[in-house]
Amino acid sequence: MTPKVPRILSSKATTSTADFICAPATAAGARSAIAVIRGSGSAAENLSVFDALADVFVTSRGKKAPELTARTAHYGNIVDGDEFIDDVLFFRFNGPNSFTGEDSFEIHCHGNPLIVRSILALLYRKGFRSAEPGEFTRRAYLNGKLGLNAAQAVAEVIEARSQLSLKAAHRFSRGTFRHELLSLRSQLMNLAADLNAELDFIDEDITFATLEIKLAILQRVRLATEKLARDAQRFDAIRSGVNIAIVGAPNAGKSSLMNRLIGHERSIVSDIAGTTRDYIEAELEIQGVNVRLFDTAGLREDSADTIENIGIERTRELIGRAHICLLIADGSLAPATLTDLLPAESSAQILLAVNKCDNLHADWAIRRETTKSDSPEIFISALTGEGFSALIDAFGRITADLAPQDAVPLSVWQIQLLNGIAALMQSAAELLQQRELPELITHQVTRAIDSMSELTGDISSEDILGRIFSRFCIGK
Ligand SMILES: Nc1nc2c(ncn2[C@@H]2O[C@H](COP(=O)(O)OP(=O)(O)OP(=O)(O)O)[C@@H](O)[C@H]2O)c(=O)[nH]1
Ligand SMILES: [Mg+2]
């Protein structure tokens, strides 16, 4: 079977796809047990990448790259003339049975940047150029080895900074998004086929979908595309991490809490009110979600200290950017309203925690006793660790809410296309209800189908014709 090559509307490639390319496939500049260099290129003028490597790699039995079998680990040396560079494992992949679809290879050398650089320099002299970012995957896509979504997912899988992002990327690479779109597209194609057939077979005795059925399809597609766009947008907002600002009165124990959450003494703790002046940032993972924690200057209105006041101003600014605002009350003091100190325009979800529950003020103790499990506050102690699992559970609930569980990581252009489809569905439904000409409705539906094909990476609008002929017996 020949691979299905996508139709490309415009190619952004600035460099030739005929070039032989190479690049380190493992983290550059780091020392490690093994480093991998990969290369790829299609044979041109009877010269393959393996011919270009003829004098570069020699096995321990004296075989050279052009004579090696594919998909086998070959042990040997990388040499530059008489000079030995490293002993390596060499893998050969013959196009089209490779990741890129071209002839390609991997060199597994020792993980020293000096060795990697020497091998790359040698490859450059043998006619390879340095690959551009994503160029191997782009070639895989251009050669029909990988769908557009799967190609996009490769980057997402590598870039994911939390278990949540990783799962979203896997959903993408497994084709969840593509399958959903294909199913929606198929419904629209049937609809378009019906609309076209109504025009073509106006005098024939054929029953077509009713107005209700057509409207139902349009609504289903609109709701589904709106949800995909909305979920992707929500996911995007926390992709680089959920921001949690720890705020509260001075001395409430914010820095102690931060230190306990991250497991080391990051923030200075003291019994002097106003210890933390600027905000302090730390990253951690809470229940699979990447979290950026900010310890802030205590909020109070009557500070005479200029520096502390700047700190308080910064805290307010930070609350504006936070997804969650963890408001800490000092449980050793009588309850006071803290929410007054928060900026009104904040959209952050507020979580109330009463710290120092190991040394609780009588009023707090009564409140805790009377509200029990209905309590809006979580009682914690940064000193003993009490209540921290409840606090983490509360974070987990909010982040699960912020991050839709079935979202896929989409780019802005994809979200725009999805919203565009939803708008087309809306206008098609209006036209249908106004009993407009089927051509007008078909036009909207066809545009939506094209957008879907762009989203799935296979652009083909001739498919509609095929649908018409397969669903109706034209030859009767
Ligand atoms: N008993 C008790 N003391 C605590 C607890 N948490 C913090 N403290 C003490 O409270 C004091 C203030 O703690 P910090 O963590 O510096 O408080 P903060 O909110 O960061 O204070 P500022 O940075 O000044 O706004 C210190 O003496 C801590 O040891 C707790 O859970 N129980
Ligand atoms: Mg502090």
Side-chain angles (χ1 to χ4, degrees), residues 272-280 295-298 300 305-315:
I272 304 164
T275 303
T276 310
R277 304 274 182 119
D278 208 342
Y279 59 75
I280 293 165
D295 176 21
T296 65
R300 58 173 159 184
D305 187 325
T306 328
I307 296 174
E308 193 183 348
N309 281 329
I310 296 172
I312 292 173
E313 205 31 61
R314 289 202 174 170
T315 299

Side-chain angles (χ1 to χ4, degrees), residues 249-256 268-276 295-298 355-356 358-359 381-383:
N251 245 351
K254 301 177 295 299
S255 300
S256 310
I268 299 172
V269 168
S270 89
D271 56 5
I272 304 164
T275 303
T276 310
D295 176 21
T296 65
N355 190 32
K356 308 193 188 179
D358 55 283
N359 178 29
S381 167
L383 197 67

